[in-house]
Amino acid sequence: MRKVLLLALGSFALGLDAYVMAGLLPAIADDTGTTVALAGQLVTAFTLAYAVSAPLFASLLGGRRPRAALIGSLTVFTVANGLTALAPGFALLLAARVAAGAGAGLYAALSTAAASTMVPAARRGRALALVMGGMSTGTVLGVPLGVLLAEHTGWRATLWLLTALGAAALAGLLVLLPPMPPEPQVPVRDRLAAVVDRRVAPVVGVSFLAAVASLGLYTYLAPVLEATGGVHGVTPYLWAWGLGGVLGSAAIGPLMDRAGRVAALITTVLVLVAGAEALLPVLAPHPVAAGLALLVWGAGGWALQVPQQHRLLELRPDRGPVVLALNGSALYLGSAVGSAVGGVALSAGLAPRTLPWAAAAVAALGLAGHALATGRAARADGPRPTVALPSTLGDHEHS
């Protein structure tokens, strides 16, 4: 598992990079002579590059050696963050964010696929949880620390921290990551067909809806708590949500390996997320109860993707990087859509207290989609043994 930890270090940098920019926008706007609204397009550029490039490049690079693609994607991500720190003007800054998002999207897909092949099938859940846990920890712990660093030393220092994290992970992979056999050569057209695969699309759709419900609502947590509970200091509640994310990411892998009922776990997690969000407006006036709701919501929101990834790998073990990249794209698009729709709703005069109920309804829609897809798959396939991905490294590489 030590090699998986190296992959998780890169994911930590990804999680930090994906969300820390939102906290740096005022400083970036002042430094580059733009408005905060225009600086916000840096987040959009990263997100869209991530979402579009992940499945596209995972498809185009199929048949190449995974080790080289992993190292190449992390190199692009690291260099792009260095260019972001050095960028003298907004145009180069925007281009650097596009490159960073493209590298991040490809690395996220390839690292989860690689982690699943580095361990025996019985420990695959733990390996996937480690990589996802790196991203959630980067978001939960790294973002506040990155913003704090920027407040004392400037926003460019935070980007240099990101560059250093990426370089450390890159050096570790160069030294310790063993060669991995390439996937069999498959035409690009056949690889891209995974995007519209009737087994894959419903699973990815659930990930999209879950991201709309969870990450989209998180963007507006401050106005929601202020409107429903008179909360003005939102930081402790953000930490409660974040702590839940770390705990959920850490616990879901071993739980999945032991229980083995992936579809049932997804159902349970979606129920918890929908319930916690629906109760938030009622519990907001009570700090402890609201904190517990946020803890459950954060745990469920971050835990969900591990069984989702596992399910995709079972459905299409021959297209692992592609379907995982597609799932990653769904997460980022869901986050962007949730934030955009929430912003439009508030601008149109919708009361902030209604946002958690709307998010809970979207999570319930994801739950219904999951139930339909699971039932359809069961009827189509009947009882069948779990598909185990073959390890490409051999038993002597398991560590």
Side-chain angles (χ1 to χ4, degrees):
M1 298 291 282
R2 290 191 300 272
K3 299 180 182 69
V4 178
L5 286 173
L6 281 174
L7 297 174
L9 176 60
S11 293
F12 178 89
L14 263 61
L16 173 57
D17 199 9
Y19 292 95
V20 76
M21 291 298 288
L24 305 180
L25 294 183
I28 293 174
D30 288 342
D31 191 28
T32 57
T34 61
T35 64
V36 172
L38 183 59
Q41 301 313 305
L42 298 172
V43 178
T44 303
F46 182 96
T47 301
L48 291 179
Y50 185 114
V52 172
S53 68
L56 176 62
F57 285 113
S59 298
L60 294 177
L61 293 175
R64 308 297 178 105
R65 295 203 171 270
R67 184 179 187 274
L70 260 172
I71 290 172
S73 62
L74 191 56
T75 299
V76 170
F77 171 80
T78 303
V79 171
N81 277 308
L83 291 175
T84 303
L86 291 170
F90 187 78
L92 182 55
L93 197 58
L94 189 65
R97 298 314 295 157
V98 170
L106 181 57
Y107 177 84
L110 294 175
S111 61
T112 47
S116 70
T117 65
M118 287 181 173
V119 296
R123 301 180 70 188
R124 190 185 306 148
R126 289 176 174 84
L128 292 173
L130 272 177
V131 177
M132 179 58 67
M135 183 169 288
S136 65
T137 304
T139 301
V140 170
L141 302 180
V143 168
L145 294 176
V147 172
L148 183 64
L149 177 63
E151 289 174 351
H152 287 83
T153 58
W155 67 270
R156 295 180 191 272
T158 300
L159 271 297
W160 283 122
L161 172 63
L162 279 165
T163 304
L165 288 172
L170 182 60
L173 293 180
L174 284 168
V175 173
L176 298 176
L177 188 66
M180 292 180 285
E183 296 179 356
Q185 287 284 356
V186 179
V188 171
R189 180 179 178 180
D190 292 345
R191 287 180 171 274
L192 293 177
V195 174
V196 293
D197 189 305
R198 287 187 294 177
R199 294 170 295 172
V200 170
V203 180
V204 173
V206 171
S207 291
F208 172 80
L209 292 172
V212 171
S214 188
L215 297 175
L217 178 60
Y218 176 73
T219 305
Y220 302 102
L221 185 58
V224 167
L225 290 176
E226 182 177 355
T228 56
V231 176
H232 297 286
V234 74
T235 301
Y237 297 89
L238 295 176
W239 281 105
W241 186 87
L243 177 61
V246 173
L247 294 176
S249 297
I252 192 66
L255 180 62
M256 190 173 67
D257 287 339
R258 285 197 298 269
R261 300 178 62 188
V262 176
L265 277 176
I266 294 172
T267 299
T268 302
V269 168
L270 286 170
V271 168
L272 289 174
V273 170
E277 291 180 336
L279 289 173
L280 187 59
V282 179
L283 300 178
H286 311 286
V288 174
L292 288 175
L294 286 162
L295 187 78
V296 171
W297 165 22
W302 281 105
L304 177 66
Q305 292 311 311
V306 174
Q308 284 284 93
Q309 291 169 344
H310 192 284
R311 193 165 179 226
L312 286 168
L313 288 171
E314 284 189 325
L315 290 171
R316 294 303 302 264
D318 57 327
R319 303 287 188 273
V322 176
V323 295
L324 291 176
L326 188 63
N327 193 65
S329 294
L331 285 177
Y332 274 75
L333 286 174
S335 176
V337 168
S339 298
V341 172
V344 169
L346 292 178
S347 298
L350 190 70
R353 69 177 296 110
T354 62
L355 289 184
W357 294 327
V362 174
L365 184 62
L367 178 62
H370 168 67
L372 287 173
T374 303
R376 185 182 303 159
R379 289 191 299 271
D381 298 338
R384 60 189 179 100
T386 299
V387 178
L389 290 182
S391 173
T392 60
L393 301 181
D395 292 339
H396 63 283
E397 294 291 349
H398 297 155
S399 56

